[in-house]
Amino acid sequence: MSKERAQRRAEREREQAIRMAARAREEERTLRRRQRRRALVGWVPRPHWQPGVLARRRRQQNTMTALLLLVLNVLVWFATPAWEVRVVIAMVSLLAAPVLHTLLFRRR
């Protein structure tokens, strides 16, 4: 009777050791994958977007305003050879961005 129990216990311990070794290999593999990913993209800041309809609409509106100002500045850049005009238009577009955003996306 005690030999059978000892054999069963040895069998359970062997199976447990196999499971623990498999778990350790999987954890090591996961750790290596995380380190590899961190080394590749760890320096890139992750976007922290808020979920929701209102946040998405605000992101879209901000993107549209930025793109409109970018297009305006690119057109001025190619249309005007004078550096002074380019710099002035860039500064004016930065100062006028909130006003333009309010005019474009006014709440009704």
Side-chain angles (χ1 to χ4, degrees):
M1 184 74 154
S2 65
K3 284 186 181 181
E4 289 179 24
R5 277 192 294 193
Q7 284 179 337
R8 287 190 300 232
R9 184 171 7 118
E11 181 72 23
R12 281 193 312 265
E13 289 176 355
R14 188 170 52 246
E15 289 174 2
Q16 184 180 10
I18 291 172
R19 282 194 304 266
M20 288 177 62
R23 185 180 307 144
R25 280 193 310 270
E26 185 64 31
E27 287 177 3
E28 184 179 329
R29 188 170 156 237
T30 303
L31 180 64
R32 282 195 315 264
R33 185 180 327 129
R34 284 183 187 158
Q35 288 175 344
R36 196 171 39 242
R37 181 179 171 99
R38 191 178 308 125
L40 288 175
V41 296
W43 57 275
V44 177
R46 294 178 55 203
H48 298 287
W49 288 353
Q50 292 181 350
V53 176
L54 295 177
R56 188 185 71 218
R57 183 174 12 160
R58 183 172 181 194
R59 280 194 305 271
Q60 288 174 345
Q61 290 174 355
N62 289 342
T63 302
M64 288 300 295
T65 303
L67 285 176
L68 184 65
L69 290 173
L70 179 69
V71 167
L72 173 71
N73 281 308
V74 167
L75 288 175
V76 168
W77 189 271
F78 286 121
T80 309
W83 279 95
E84 297 84 15
V85 176
R86 292 174 177 177
V87 171
V88 168
I89 293 296
M91 287 191 292
V92 168
S93 68
L94 286 176
L95 292 174
V99 175
L100 179 66
H101 184 81
T102 303
L103 291 174
L104 288 175
F105 304 110
R106 185 180 323 179
R107 293 183 189 164
R108 293 182 173 97

